[in-house]
Amino acid sequence: MAFSKPDETKNVLHKADSRGKTENEWLVSEKTFSFGDYYDPERIQFGALRVLNDDTLEAEKGFGVHPHDNMEIISIPLEGSLEHEDSLGNKLVIKSGEIQVMSAGTGVMHSEFSKSDEELGKFLQIWIYPRKRNVSPRYDQITLDPAKSKNRFQQILSPNADDEGVWIYQDAWFHLGNFENTTETQYQIRKKENGVYAFIIKGSAEIDGQKLEERDGLGVQDISELKIKTTSENTEILLMEVPMEIN
């Protein structure tokens, strides 16, 4: 598998209201990249980052059993809880403050539903192209320590099983931070030639000189560090560092 950089410019800005949207009686899905019935040839992926869906499920509703293969799938619940069941024998609930990862590898079937009979289930669904194909499928989830993301970035995903957070079959690093207003920080690129996609979960910030509001996304490449300054209280930012090319 090989693909080239989706955009040769330094920055790729995706405003929240420019995302694709699927809406029915049980789902609202806002899609940063082309997925399902949303297609934009200019928004296929950012390097190895293939899918970033911002999903809201009605109570007790969700996605029935469906297949995946050769993809690293990460779920980050934002509100409520989700029940996950798969062909590996896992039947677990994930909730806000946790992160779930599934390496689909040679193939896996799974389903996910909003667990509550009253609350909506809100979560980010993220797909990353793996560097290694046809691995044995695997599943993991962890509870995050919110103290580690207070006014700084907490690592929540990496390529190393012995490192902090969950791990995947890709040279990717995810960091999550919760910041007070006017907090200034920076992020150092972990691997040369990787890019970083920043997603504002809530609040607002200025990243690499670009002003971003809630649910805006910014992809940046050809840098060694990313400068960040929050511009509102309770700003939550997800940074996804990924390879820009895979062979």
Side-chain angles (χ1 to χ4, degrees), residues 10-237:
K10 183 179 180 182
N11 293 359
V12 179
L13 174 64
H14 297 138
K15 299 296 289 182
D17 61 5
S18 74
R19 296 177 296 175
K21 189 173 184 178
T22 296
E23 188 169 5
N24 57 37
E25 65 275 9
W26 59 270
L27 169 69
V28 177
S29 180
E30 298 193 81
K31 303 163 181 177
T32 296
F33 302 104
S34 295
F35 185 88
D37 57 1
Y38 167 60
Y39 176 73
D40 182 340
E42 300 300 317
R43 294 173 67 159
I44 301 298
Q45 64 204 56
F46 177 77
L49 175 59
R50 176 61 187 88
V51 169
L52 174 55
N53 288 354
D54 185 1
D55 290 346
T56 299
L57 301 174
E58 289 293 328
E60 298 186 308
K61 302 294 184 180
F63 302 97
V65 177
H66 57 281
H68 292 290
D69 67 80
N70 287 315
M71 193 68 71
E72 302 297 301
I73 300 171
I74 301 103
S75 296
I76 303 177
L78 303 178
E79 295 181 26
S81 58
L82 300 171
E83 184 171 76
H84 165 98
E85 187 170 1
D86 61 42
S87 55
L88 304 176
N90 299 299
K91 186 174 183 180
L92 301 158
V93 174
I94 58 171
K95 59 184 183 299
S96 177
E98 298 181 333
I99 180 172
Q100 173 202 84
V101 65
M102 185 169 64
S103 298
T106 54
V108 64
M109 305 287 290
H110 85 128
S111 63
E112 50 204 348
F113 287 84
S114 178
K115 175 67 174 175
S116 172
D117 59 0
E118 298 180 352
E119 295 181 317
L120 298 174
K122 297 185 179 184
F123 73 111
L124 300 179
Q125 180 180 180
I126 302 163
W127 292 9
I128 302 288
Y129 284 115
R131 68 168 182 269
K132 186 176 182 181
R133 294 173 59 83
N134 297 321
V135 300
S136 297
R138 54 175 288 271
Y139 174 92
D140 194 16
Q141 73 180 64
I142 62 168
T143 299
L144 303 173
D145 181 355
K148 292 184 178 180
S149 61
K150 181 65 175 177
N151 285 323
R152 68 186 186 95
F153 283 109
Q154 172 189 9
Q155 181 175 289
I156 62 173
L157 175 147
S158 78
N160 189 345
D162 297 323
D163 212 347
E164 185 175 10
V166 293
W167 67 276
I168 62 172
Y169 290 100
Q170 185 51 274
D171 293 326
W173 288 261
F174 284 17
H175 288 76
L176 189 65
N178 291 274
F179 301 95
E180 298 172 347
N181 193 16
T182 68
T183 300
E184 295 188 35
T185 188
Q186 58 188 21
Y187 173 78
Q188 300 290 329
I189 299 295
R190 296 320 194 248
K191 185 175 182 180
K192 187 179 179 182
E193 297 182 355
N194 275 5
V196 179
Y197 194 90
F199 185 72
I200 308 296
I201 295 175
K202 61 182 178 181
S204 60
E206 186 174 299
I207 300 180
D208 200 41
Q210 177 67 56
K211 294 181 179 179
L212 301 172
E213 305 294 333
E214 187 168 306
R215 293 318 207 253
D216 288 350
L218 178 70
V220 184
Q221 53 187 298
D222 300 325
I223 58 168
S224 59
E225 69 175 24
L226 200 61
K227 294 182 178 179
I228 300 162
K229 180 180 179 179
T230 58
T231 54
S232 66
E233 289 292 343
N234 301 317
T235 293
E236 187 172 10
I237 304 172

